[in-house]
Amino acid sequence: MSDKKHTTSSGIEIKELYLSARPMEERPGEFPFTRGIQKDMYRGRLWTMRQYAGFSTAEESNKRYHYLLNQGTTGLSVAFDLPTQIGYDSDHEMADGEVGKVGVAIDSLKDIEILFDGIELKNITTSMTINATASSLLAMYIALAKKQGADLKQISGTIQNDILKEYAARGTYIYPPKQSMRLITDIFEFCSKEVPKWNTISISGYHIREAGSTAVQELAFTLANGKTYLKAAIDKGLDINVFAKRLSFFFNCHNNFFEEIAKFRAARRMWAKITKDLGATDEKAQMLRFHTQTGGSTLTAQQPLNNVIRVTNQAMAAVLGGTQSLHTNGYDEALSLPTEAAAKIALRTQQIIGLESGVTDTVDPLAGSFFVENLTDEVEAAAWAYIEKIDAMGGSVNAIESDYMQQEIASAAYQYQNEIENGSRISVGVNKFTQKEEGITEVFNIDDSIRKIQTQKLEQIKTERDNVAVTKALNLISDAAKTDTNLMPLIIDAVEKYATLGEIADVLRNTFGEY
């Protein structure tokens, strides 16, 4: 036997040989859903191929969306630029240098109208990666759906709306935690009545992992945050059997193939227990549904074509782990936003896995594997240990305010980087099998002229709109924010009058304060 110790990325020791697995009495589509949330999984239909895209102006992003839809994408996923994410219009001094860079710039309903020009919202599902300003972006989407004549009871999609992971790992928050949680529960309440097919939060482990966490930390912190959202909604008087059906998750998928599969299987089992313990009796309210994105931080600028293999490995793990939708990264994303060629290969990767590999022909094909079943149990046990610590602190908000999550993530990130630098962890093309010539010359750049274009649009909107009506709508939001009134109807009214994202965010800044 080898003396070398093998571990997963979370430090779980991998035995040389596994001789048993626990009895597999569980069935797919049944509590606790370890083996998947549908009885037939991908034999019924494939996961949603939801490619994340958005850059520059609404006009340019609209062209990319039509391209992706024509190439076979089955759902849209919108990336927003940083000013949009933190509530600044493109003409704000804080937006300088960032407009349209990491996503599309959205300042008002006019931009949303352009973004989805020629796309019927009733015919697609849309995911929006937005958190602090999620209420305003959802309001704009609803306003456009109304203008298109869509039935709000039928439109579907997801807003990320997960502010807790922003405090823990990512940083695009605006308001203090308590006020941010109020906005989230307002959305829960409004959508449960008015937009019942909308997923009102996508609780994100993706950004926790991108910040440097281990797989176990990603799972534990994400489910702990999910538990906090459940309790907040229950405290607001909402029925867990209703609103929990509209919660979804967003996980990362890194390179350790079997650990990632075990993470997804453990996540379903753990969430089923959490929801049941909090009173959920409807099986659909106990199901963990999740979107997966392949690991952005695993992509290398060195020998970028190697990333095609990394992305394929990660996508296969997500599929074998039972994901409901999937985004595959472009091979060139360590260098720039993905070029059209890289975006096409990323989508084709999913299509080949789904239609050529045969892994979708049976449900949970790795079930009963001695290794996978044992590893699922070990990942789950390690994640519960973290959740118990967080519960003892009083929940995720307290754990974040005391810097517990942040310190755990930072420690894991530091250890990982040390391992890369000392060579104990191999990154092909980075610290082993290196070469001078990289072979990629084309990158996708966004220039700074986008801010000027957006500023001109803003000036035109403010000239053409009824500014008295806008001021009145903003004042109503300000007054209601000081009470328990649900803010969503008022925000929708304001965006329909072409109040800007920044104007709405500023009203709430003045009332809630900044964190």
Side-chain angles (χ1 to χ4, degrees):
M1 294 180 70
S2 170
D3 292 330
K4 184 181 178 182
K5 184 177 179 180
H6 292 258
T7 64
T8 71
S9 68
S10 300
I12 296 170
E13 185 171 358
I14 301 171
K15 299 175 187 176
E16 186 170 67
L17 181 65
Y18 288 83
L19 295 174
S20 65
R22 59 188 182 80
M24 280 305 297
E25 297 172 358
E26 297 174 9
R27 298 185 68 82
E30 296 178 6
F31 185 92
F33 310 106
T34 312
R35 302 191 63 189
I37 62 169
Q38 287 108 10
K39 290 182 179 179
D40 59 354
M41 284 303 289
Y42 306 131
R43 284 170 67 102
R45 73 176 184 90
L46 295 182
W47 61 92
T48 301
M49 298 180 189
R50 190 185 302 283
Q51 290 300 99
Y52 186 49
F55 56 89
S56 183
T57 62
E59 289 88 347
E60 291 301 314
S61 292
N62 175 262
K63 292 176 187 175
R64 178 64 67 89
Y65 293 161
H66 280 285
Y67 171 79
L68 288 169
L69 289 168
N70 289 334
Q71 292 297 319
T73 287
T74 51
L76 295 178
S77 183
V78 184
F80 298 98
D81 72 358
L82 284 174
T84 303
Q85 292 181 47
I86 53 176
Y88 293 118
D89 288 335
S90 297
D91 59 358
H92 195 284
E93 61 182 1
M94 291 291 286
D96 191 15
E98 292 294 343
V99 177
K101 290 292 177 72
V102 300
V104 63
I106 299 294
D107 292 318
S108 74
L109 176 57
K110 185 66 177 175
D111 286 319
I112 289 289
E113 291 167 355
I114 296 167
L115 188 67
F116 293 102
D117 184 40
I119 300 169
E120 291 288 330
L121 301 190
K122 66 182 180 181
N123 295 331
I124 59 164
T125 63
T126 303
S127 175
M128 296 190 281
T129 303
I130 196 71
N131 299 285
T133 54
S135 55
S136 293
L137 270 298
L138 176 59
M140 291 178 191
Y141 194 88
I142 289 170
L144 177 58
K146 288 166 68 177
K147 288 188 78 168
Q148 288 186 353
D151 180 356
L152 295 187
K153 296 279 197 275
Q154 298 302 317
I155 65 165
S156 61
T158 304
I159 42 170
Q160 191 165 102
N161 202 26
D162 173 10
I163 204 66
L164 291 178
K165 67 94 178 46
E166 295 295 332
Y167 300 115
R170 190 161 173 266
T172 63
Y173 48 76
I174 303 173
Y175 319 111
K178 184 179 177 182
Q179 286 75 16
S180 294
M181 290 295 289
R182 180 259 176 94
L183 282 171
I184 289 168
T185 54
D186 277 1
I187 292 170
F188 286 175
E189 183 180 51
F190 174 82
C191 288
S192 68
K193 297 171 185 173
E194 305 298 331
V195 198
K197 290 191 175 181
W198 195 268
N199 298 320
T200 49
I201 191 167
S202 176
I203 304 157
S204 176
Y206 184 84
H207 303 96
I208 290 171
R209 193 68 176 281
E210 289 295 284
S213 81
T214 66
V216 164
Q217 289 171 340
E218 177 195 0
L219 175 58
F221 297 162
T222 304
L223 295 190
N225 289 347
K227 193 173 177 182
T228 297
Y229 293 125
L230 287 177
K231 288 182 173 179
I234 290 167
D235 289 345
K236 196 174 177 70
L238 302 181
D239 182 354
I240 191 171
N241 283 314
V242 175
F243 75 80
K245 294 176 185 176
R246 304 273 40 110
L247 271 58
S248 65
F249 287 81
F250 173 24
F251 287 116
N252 211 314
C253 198
H254 275 215
N255 289 326
N256 195 306
F257 189 74
F258 289 107
E259 183 180 36
E260 295 302 313
I261 294 165
K263 178 186 76 180
F264 298 134
R265 298 174 90 247
R268 281 191 292 272
R269 195 156 74 205
M270 294 173 74
W271 187 246
K273 181 177 183 346
I274 288 168
T275 52
K276 188 175 182 179
D277 287 350
L278 287 173
T281 54
D282 188 324
E283 282 203 339
K284 289 191 182 300
Q286 299 167 342
M287 291 178 180
L288 182 144
R289 298 166 299 121
F290 68 100
H291 170 73
T292 308
Q293 181 173 342
T294 57
S297 61
T298 69
L299 303 176
T300 63
Q302 301 92 333
Q303 300 176 33
L305 284 173
N306 291 347
N307 295 327
V308 174
I309 294 90
R310 292 187 178 99
V311 169
T312 305
N313 177 64
Q314 294 163 11
M316 184 70 86
V319 169
L320 290 171
T323 194
Q324 276 61 69
S325 68
L326 179 61
H327 164 89
T328 34
N329 289 327
Y331 62 80
D332 54 2
E333 287 188 58
L335 300 167
S336 69
L337 289 169
T339 56
E340 209 165 84
K344 183 189 288 187
I345 289 175
L347 177 59
R348 293 288 183 261
T349 301
Q350 295 198 49
Q351 292 164 337
I352 290 168
I353 291 172
L355 300 171
E356 294 187 20
S357 72
V359 299
T360 62
D361 291 342
T362 189
V363 178
D364 195 17
L366 293 180
S369 156
F370 295 163
F371 178 37
V372 171
E373 297 298 346
N374 277 280
L375 189 56
T376 300
D377 291 346
E378 291 194 63
V379 167
E380 180 182 7
W384 279 127
Y386 269 116
I387 290 174
E388 286 164 8
K389 286 182 186 176
I390 292 166
D391 285 346
M393 295 177 189
S396 285
V397 174
N398 288 351
I400 289 165
E401 289 181 339
S402 66
D403 270 354
Y404 171 71
M405 287 190 192
Q406 296 93 311
Q407 289 299 323
E408 289 293 309
I409 294 167
S411 177
Y414 179 75
Q415 181 178 337
Y416 179 92
Q417 189 59 34
N418 271 348
E419 290 169 357
I420 292 291
E421 291 180 9
N422 66 31
S424 61
R425 182 186 295 272
I426 300 302
S427 180
V428 173
V430 176
N431 63 3
K432 198 171 182 67
F433 311 115
T434 58
Q435 63 185 44
K436 291 182 180 179
E437 296 298 322
E438 304 303 344
I440 293 286
T441 56
E442 182 187 3
V443 294
F444 187 20
N445 290 318
I446 304 295
D447 65 53
D448 289 326
S449 66
I450 306 304
R451 188 179 187 221
K452 183 177 180 181
I453 294 168
Q454 287 299 115
T455 298
Q456 289 170 346
K457 280 192 206 170
L458 280 165
E459 289 171 354
Q460 184 176 354
I461 287 163
K462 290 177 181 179
T463 300
E464 294 175 351
R465 72 186 184 182
D466 183 340
N467 284 297
V468 173
V470 169
T471 300
K472 182 179 178 182
L474 293 172
N475 287 338
L476 288 172
I477 293 172
S478 178
D479 292 341
K482 298 166 188 169
T483 71
D484 293 331
T485 303
N486 192 304
L487 296 175
M488 276 305 297
L490 298 173
I491 295 173
I492 292 170
D493 179 62
V495 301
E496 287 178 329
K497 292 179 169 61
Y498 292 89
T500 70
L501 177 102
E503 288 170 335
I504 294 168
D506 282 345
V507 164
L508 295 175
R509 278 188 182 93
N510 292 336
T511 307
F512 292 158
E514 289 189 84
Y515 186 69

